Amino acid sequence: MSLTAPPSQNHQEDSNSGVLIARELAEKSTNFRKLIAAILSWTGKEPFLTQVICRLIAEADDSPPDGEEAEWVDRLIRTYLLDNWQEREELKPVHAIRDRLSQPKARNIKLLKEYRKILQHGEINATSNSEQKELRLIGLVVKQQGKLKVHNWFYASVFDLEWVDKTLQELLDSVEPSDDEFLKTFSDLERKLLMSQVDILAQAENNKDDQGAAQALYEVLRDVTAKVGEILGADRTTIFLLNEEKTELWSLVAQSDGDEFLDIQVRVGEGIAGQVASSKKIIHIGENVYEDPRSRLVQEYDKKYGYQTENILAFPILDDRQELISVIQLLNKHQRSGNSHKGFTAVDIERLAKCVLPIRRILESCQSCYKATKKLRATAALAEATRSLDQVNLDTKAILQRVMNAAKKLMNADRSTLWLVDPEQGDLWTNIPGKGEIRCPMGVGFAGQVAKTGDPTIIPFDLYDNPNAENAKNTDRQTRYRTCSLLCMPVFSPDGKLLGVTQLVNKRKSGNHPEYNPDDWPEVPNYFKASFDKNDRQSMQVFNQRVGVILQFVQTHEQLKRLTTIEPKEAVHKTLAVFSSAMVEQSEDAFAETLCHMLTFMSASISKYMECEYAHLFFLNPDTQQLWSFIAQNPGESPTEISLSSNRGIARKVIENPAIKVKNPIKHLKDALIYAGIDRKKQNSLQNILLFPIVNSHRQTIALIRLLNKFQSPLLPGIPLESQVDLNGFNPTDATKITQRTQALLPILQAFQTFHQEIQTIQEQRQAIDSLYQAINTVSQGGGSLSAILQKVVQAAKKLTNADRSTLWLFDREFQELWTQIPRKDGSLEEVRIPLGAGFAGKVAQTQKPIEVSFDMQNRTDAELARKIDRGSGYRTFSLLCMPVLDSNGELLAVTQLANKQKMGEFPASEGDEVPEEFRISFDDRDRRDMEIFNNQVGVMLSSVL
């Protein structure tokens, strides 16, 4: 049978041909729809192939038997197309794909390797890598539901594994990229990484698209990994980086057949890569890898991932100080035709050595960026964890569960426990759901040791190697659990008292992993082969500080509940004694909340005792002449602090002439004291009032008790309370009744008043540092040009210290100078430079120590440069504060210079050479301390832009 297929000349001819073919198919078989289905199963609806096969069927000499359409089509295609596809003229587009992939280019090697994965697995996850994009453009593969697969059966049959392997070998034999090409590629990758680092850090800092930030790093490292493998003709390549503790190698990227990122961690000294990290020497095993005793880990991973390692090369990457940065491990050198040499060659090692510098720069940048993103993500996780603690109620068991869950999530730990100190029994206890209360003696086990010493304990994988692990092993045997790593941290109250111990067990590798199966004990799952590090310890230290504050507050609340059964006077004094020990460290919000609870309890007790709808306590502040109280307008609402003048209306009369005041009815009265704190909707329902002044031994009024809406007696069940108000109001019996409680109430209310004054003191202290918070928030926002950042910093520093002028001098490391930009009168910026060591700012830069010059600087002998600048500028400097700005490693970044501290308030203009009154002041320790904190934040910001 002959088959001809002239190309269509135009759309009309093509359309007519399609109609003709459709008719011929219908004539070929009564089940022509099955014919169409069989054709499409081969072509995947690819138009060109579909038309070619349709013509083939239409021109066939025979017809398919009924019910055997698919088999007949398969036989026809294999006989007339597949067996000699390379000679078939009508298959020119298929030939074009062949010719495109067979060109002796390094790019085609990567394309064929990617395509080979698809053939081997049937489909792979679709990604954004350039090889997949190009294969799709060629038309060889298609993307369906997030997976990449061969476009159709025909392509899979033509471009099968045999054809791919043969073509790959031919390309490997013929393609030999030059070293210059590789160096250029690494240079391009380095530039790509540097350009993307700002975006990566911004994403991590804003806690957005965490996967996207990591993916950007992965892609650069994947490209580096692939390029290193291409240089040496390796089948697989892994780049191991050294962790901060220099105890473990970890792979951020490793190639695998499934195109996923393998999470591989190897301790220094173990396995091939670990020994290279330890010795800093190359290891090459040319053949019989599994017979080498160093290959145990290689065999384990090969078994896990279904791979066969024939030869291996591990190469250390060192920095200028000959310290290890990473280890590159290459597996299975591609053998060229006719080459009998096994494994990698001296030429391979020489080629890799030529590329070490660009590879090292990229790896150092990636590691630095990865650490920065990891730190930013850890900060965000820490913020989330501490915020979750704020949602706890005042139940100790609920606190335990919330803290354990938050710590577990924060540290990515498998288990966590919060042990609390029992001062009465002298041991630790906790409550575990399903197991109840568990106790641990002081000094026993890791948690007991931390409680005894107050020092944190961090034990890396594998904990069983620790000499003190016997207790953990015994516990594991009983529970059929495997403890592999541990982090124990003490929890202190703000005043330094041990409250408990947080214990985190088994750091988990990132990713989705199953729960530990007790049936696997004592085997170690791969996701437990990780360790807590110093960053985890720092995060938990901050976390535990917050836990300590909450635990102390909860314990105080529980003590308060216990004391409610004691006489009110004793309860208040004991409660205040507990709080006074931590007054300096606690927040005023916690004190205010405690005071609200206590006042609410007191008010409810008085209301019940006096049989009235409302009872409120108002306290007199003699300094401000204000009455204050905490009142909830409606049940269930949080109390709010209210204040009103004590010099007006009824309040003034009661305070000046301390005597009980009774009013009935009160609807005609419009006095603020009657309605303060009462919901507007309920004010019209007020019928009567009793005001009772509480006076001290000096006959001075310290508080007022306000009673509203006397109830009928007895109260009738089932009737709304507002309908049972006694319209006759309060009577002399009520006055006598409340008077009888005066002596018991007086010391309690005096304690409340003192307590409130202490809260106000704390509030004043907080207001004093508000400017520091504002300054830090201002510079933390970052962004903008360097000029904008300079202006932002100087303005914030001026406001923080109330200085007249501020300058941020940046350190130019290359020229060993300080420089800044000063605004001119026309709005332009002038760059000014001073050498290191010149003037006060230069001396601070040189010594990295602050300098504070008190009023009047003009009298100092070492101020000649400052006086010279003043003469030239017409400005007069009286006081000065210069502070260094350092990065996290203690390296100088800049110097902040503040000139002329100003007094607060308004001052008249000075005359002549007279020193302005507002400048007759010096910077103090508070300014210096605030600027030290402020400069730390400036250092963080500058580190990211300089």
Side-chain angles (χ1 to χ4, degrees), residues 240-243 246-250 266 268-269 273-281 315-328 360 363-364 367 371:
F240 290 99
L241 297 176
L242 187 66
N243 69 355
K246 299 183 179 181
T247 58
E248 194 173 61
L249 293 172
W250 55 278
V266 179
V268 171
Q275 290 187 53
V276 170
S278 178
S279 66
K280 303 176 185 177
K281 295 180 180 179
F315 190 99
I317 302 293
L318 309 178
D319 63 16
D320 291 333
R321 297 172 297 175
Q322 296 302 296
E323 295 294 330
L324 185 79
I325 296 174
S326 69
V327 173
I328 298 176
R360 188 181 80 184
L363 295 182
E364 286 177 327
Q367 194 165 38
K371 289 178 181 177

Side-chain angles (χ1 to χ4, degrees), residues 43 45-52 151:
T43 66
K45 299 181 181 180
E46 201 282 323
F48 162 73
L49 278 178
T50 301
Q51 189 175 22
V52 169
H151 195 154

